[in-house]
Amino acid sequence: YARDLGGWYNIDETCENAADEIDRLNAENARLREALKPFAKAGELFSARDGHLDMLIYAPAAGAEYQIVGDDLRRARAALAEKEKKS
């Protein structure tokens, strides 16, 4: 047991809860990385942006906040590549 300003608590239970949360977050991370793969793959088609212009990939009538541009796909590719470098 350990004590803080809130009183006594079971440190084994705290560690177990933390481990469960780490497992949950790792599973969520894996699901999100898997969902990102098609966008990262499409990002391979786009080289670095040339100046201020970027390729507009998707522009629905709903407005600019729903647009997908080349930078979005490049970021997806970079995010997955960063993790692969660390592995």
Side-chain angles (χ1 to χ4, degrees):
Y1 284 90
R3 183 172 178 204
D4 65 9
L5 296 177
W8 290 94
Y9 60 95
N10 183 336
I11 198 154
D12 291 335
E13 183 179 316
T14 300
C15 291
E16 187 175 311
N17 290 341
D20 289 345
E21 182 67 4
I22 289 168
D23 289 343
R24 186 191 69 74
L25 290 170
N26 282 332
E28 179 182 21
N29 183 281
R31 283 192 306 276
L32 294 173
R33 292 182 63 74
E34 191 63 31
L36 196 58
K37 280 183 180 179
F39 300 97
K41 184 70 173 168
E44 293 174 6
L45 300 175
F46 300 92
S47 58
R49 190 201 290 209
D50 184 23
H52 297 290
L53 301 176
D54 195 11
M55 178 69 69
L56 180 61
I57 309 302
Y58 178 69
E65 65 195 67
Y66 297 97
Q67 289 180 349
I68 298 173
V69 297
D71 278 348
D72 297 321
L73 302 179
R74 288 183 205 94
R75 276 192 299 276
R77 183 182 67 199
L80 290 183
E82 182 178 318
K83 172 67 175 171
E84 290 171 5
K85 285 181 190 174
K86 292 180 181 178
S87 297

